[in-house]
Amino acid sequence: MNFISQIINGLQLGSIYALVALGYSMVYGIILLLNFAHGDIIMVGAYVVYYCIASYSLPPIVAIVLAIVTATLLGVIIEKVAYTPLRSAPRLSLLITAIGMSFLLENGAQLVFGSDTKTMAQAPLISGSLSLGDVSITKAAAITIVVSIISMILLTVLVRKTKMGKAMRAVSEDMGAAQLMGISINRTISFTFAVGSALAGIGAVLHIASYFQASPTMGSMLGLKAFVAAVLGGIGSIPGAMVGGFLIGMVETLVIAAGLSTWKDGVVFAILIIVLIVKPTGIMGESMTEKV
């Protein structure tokens, strides 16, 4: 039964990685940008939840909505201010800008919120547990897993079945041709950032509901591990991001359960190296062909 509990814990952690990885995959699929500031958007969302609940005693639903809205707006603002002016610049310039934006958000959070870790253990967002036979699972874990799966399904429907989804796929395939066909590139990219950042906001809510804390640097390692999950599953693939997130979460949890908690980060990044060597396209990624 302990093994089953560890698997559930791994799925809970992996669900959060998966939500962040979905944002990575969406943005990379459209403009081939690794948005390293994505994890820090989760950090901002977590602080919004903390202050709404702990400082202002607002209803949980209000805290959840404000966190998601704040994360969505922040993602769109970052895209407009930092990435749009560099859209025709070399890809390395965009990558350096993304890293710089990540540091800006982290240091800005330390100035605004302080460098100490805020905890919500005394006022959890989701409390209680469920019994599945002899196995007990917290409501936070169950909700986290279910929400992540629903998010993946809705995102797949959005990309495959809606007009905006078709525009996103067209821009991802050939931006110039999509523009000639009357598709607004700016609106499509902004919408992609908005959806990805909304997923980060959902991830922020689920993270603080599960682990009860927020800190200025929490998004850095979370974002890096979600990036590993996206690469493992196949960056640009929606189901791949989910599979990668679940696998990374379970591996990390099992490493901790084996008494090797100091190695958990090393194991995750070792997986990244192995994937890049053995199968760079990831588990569900497709090989890219370059036209000449």
Side-chain angles (χ1 to χ4, degrees), residues 129-145:
S129 60
L130 303 170
S131 295
L132 300 175
D134 296 329
V135 179
S136 178
I137 176 173
T138 64
K139 289 182 180 179
I143 291 173
T144 298
I145 296 169

Side-chain angles (χ1 to χ4, degrees), residues 21-186:
L22 283 171
Y24 268 121
S25 291
M26 286 187 65
V27 172
Y28 183 83
I30 296 292
I31 59 174
L32 300 179
L33 167 67
L34 295 174
N35 181 22
F36 284 113
H38 194 66
D40 298 291
I41 294 176
I42 283 192
M43 174 267 295
V44 174
Y47 271 111
V48 171
V49 174
Y50 170 80
Y51 280 104
C52 285
I53 300 293
S55 298
Y56 299 105
S57 301
L58 295 176
I61 187 64
V62 175
I64 292 170
V65 171
L66 285 177
I68 296 173
V69 170
T70 301
T72 303
L73 292 176
L74 180 60
V76 173
I77 291 170
I78 289 173
E79 187 269 328
K80 290 296 185 186
V81 173
Y83 301 146
T84 298
L86 298 174
R87 194 170 292 164
S88 58
R91 200 173 303 168
L92 182 60
S93 299
L94 277 169
L95 181 62
I96 294 171
T97 302
I99 295 172
M101 184 57 65
S102 175
F103 285 133
L104 176 64
L105 290 174
E106 286 182 20
N107 287 278
Q110 290 189 40
L111 288 173
V112 175
F113 306 122
S115 58
D116 59 315
T117 299
K118 312 293 185 185
T119 59
M120 280 183 56
Q122 302 302 319
L125 193 62
I126 303 171
S127 57
S129 60
L130 303 170
S131 295
L132 300 175
D134 296 329
V135 179
S136 178
I137 176 173
T138 64
K139 289 182 180 179
I143 291 173
T144 298
I145 296 169
V146 170
V147 168
S148 67
I149 294 173
I150 292 174
S151 298
M152 183 203 70
I153 294 171
L154 292 178
L155 188 58
T156 302
V157 172
L158 169 68
V159 172
R160 296 294 177 187
K161 302 296 183 182
T162 67
K163 184 177 180 180
M164 182 55 76
K166 292 178 182 178
M168 291 165 64
R169 285 185 283 135
V171 171
S172 135
E173 185 71 26
D174 191 324
M175 190 176 294
Q179 195 166 19
L180 290 174
M181 295 300 293
I183 295 173
S184 173
I185 303 298
N186 290 330

Side-chain angles (χ1 to χ4, degrees), residues 193-214:
F193 270 85
V195 173
S197 300
L199 290 171
I202 296 171
V205 172
L206 297 175
H207 186 278
I208 201 166
S210 299
Y211 304 108
F212 315 120
Q213 62 181 19

Side-chain angles (χ1 to χ4, degrees), residues 228-264:
V228 175
V231 173
L232 174 60
I235 194 161
S237 168
I238 293 174
M242 290 296 298
V243 171
F246 285 149
L247 288 176
I248 292 297
M250 285 191 286
V251 166
E252 187 174 337
T253 302
L254 292 175
V255 168
I256 295 173
L260 301 172
S261 58
T262 54
W263 289 89
K264 62 183 178 70

